Amino acid sequence: MKKNILGSMVFCFVTLVFVAGSVLAAPPDNFTSKMVVNGMAMPMAKMGTKTRVQTGMLQDIYTITDSASQKTFMVNPQAKTYYEQVQQKAKEAPSVYDPNVVMEKKKLGSETVDGHPCVKSEMTFYQKDTPTQKHKGTIWEAQDLGGLPIRTEMIVEAMQKAGGSGKMVSEMKEIKVGGATASMFEVPKDYKKVNSMPELMGMGGDMQNMMKQMQKGKMPKQ
């Protein structure tokens, strides 16, 4: 459950970074930063349509997402393995690169966040074919960084269902514009491709089978 919630949190934050930038003048599309989500710090990088996020909750595993190819790669440097999958349709928010996404903003004022002068706005975004399913949030765009969204607040349903308030607060710190390099978004050629998340994390065959049975609502026989 915690991994699913974390995935939703990371997706929502990255979604807001891209959505906000596509509405006004495009913010920098090459940078590195420390992404802090509800107090949890995660190194991240962006270059063009690719993003990379790492979290200590999953050992040293990091995720590379390429919106151009609609693929996600989860990479385990310790085991030298990677797991590839097609991006799933988001439940928490629509894809920012979907041409059917509509984004609306309402300026609330100006504030300084972590030393950066920002425009604070209320935002609403949704898909054209499902206008009643609206997603709302608040965003702070750093004017000295070309409008880069460096703070967001929104409600995540997965967090609410888990018993929390559902509020997600995300900030980017230690931002280095132009700090990303192409190699950050490439899976090393000597890494082995695996077929599942358990295999990526080094779990044996018995553990994988047990997890599959549990997902089906069955417990393996002793």
Side-chain angles (χ1 to χ4, degrees):
M1 174 66 74
K2 289 184 178 179
K3 292 177 183 176
N4 290 335
I5 294 174
L6 176 64
S8 296
M9 291 164 64
V10 173
F11 175 83
C12 287
F13 176 78
V14 175
T15 294
L16 295 181
V17 169
F18 292 138
V19 160
S22 67
V23 178
L24 302 177
D29 67 350
N30 180 315
F31 64 85
T32 60
S33 74
K34 180 170 67 176
M35 180 172 67
V36 183
V37 182
N38 283 17
M40 181 185 301
M42 297 173 280
M44 75 163 293
K46 180 181 185 300
M47 176 179 277
T49 61
K50 298 180 180 180
T51 60
R52 169 173 165 159
V53 180
Q54 183 172 344
T55 169
M57 285 186 66
L58 297 175
Q59 302 174 20
D60 291 326
I61 294 174
Y62 59 88
T63 301
I64 297 173
T65 302
D66 183 1
S67 63
S69 64
Q70 293 294 303
K71 290 184 178 180
T72 296
F73 302 86
M74 298 194 74
V75 185
N76 186 339
Q78 292 185 347
K80 291 189 175 182
T81 56
Y82 72 96
Y83 174 50
E84 176 183 342
Q85 59 183 343
V86 177
Q87 288 180 345
Q88 301 297 313
K89 184 176 180 180
K91 296 181 180 180
E92 300 299 337
S95 169
V96 300
Y97 290 101
D98 187 332
N100 291 319
V101 168
V102 177
M103 176 73 176
E104 300 173 352
K105 283 186 186 180
K106 178 182 179 181
K107 184 177 179 179
L108 299 177
S110 299
E111 291 183 6
T112 298
V113 177
D114 200 25
H116 300 282
C118 297
V119 171
K120 178 182 178 181
S121 303
E122 180 182 76
M123 62 178 178
T124 302
F125 56 106
Y126 54 89
Q127 291 182 324
K128 292 180 180 178
D129 54 351
T130 55
T132 59
Q133 297 178 16
K134 296 184 178 181
H135 305 270
K136 296 180 179 293
T138 307
I139 195 162
W140 287 257
E141 297 165 295
Q143 299 307 289
D144 59 335
L145 295 175
L148 183 68
I150 64 171
R151 178 183 172 91
T152 62
E153 292 183 4
M154 67 180 298
I155 299 299
V156 179
E157 290 183 4
M159 294 170 63
Q160 285 185 316
K161 292 178 181 179
S165 67
K167 184 177 182 179
M168 181 184 73
V169 179
S170 307
E171 290 191 58
M172 287 200 295
K173 298 180 178 292
E174 302 175 13
I175 303 164
K176 295 181 180 178
V177 175
T181 61
S183 61
M184 292 180 175
F185 310 93
E186 297 174 355
V187 178
K189 294 182 179 179
D190 61 336
Y191 280 29
K192 177 184 176 182
K193 183 176 181 179
V194 296
N195 299 314
S196 67
M197 274 295 294
E199 190 177 355
L200 177 76
M201 300 178 72
M203 296 179 181
D206 292 340
M207 179 63 75
Q208 291 187 55
N209 290 332
M210 183 176 73
M211 291 184 69
K212 288 180 180 179
Q213 292 297 318
M214 290 176 67
Q215 289 176 352
K216 293 178 181 180
K218 302 176 181 179
M219 289 299 293
K221 296 180 179 181
Q222 300 295 325

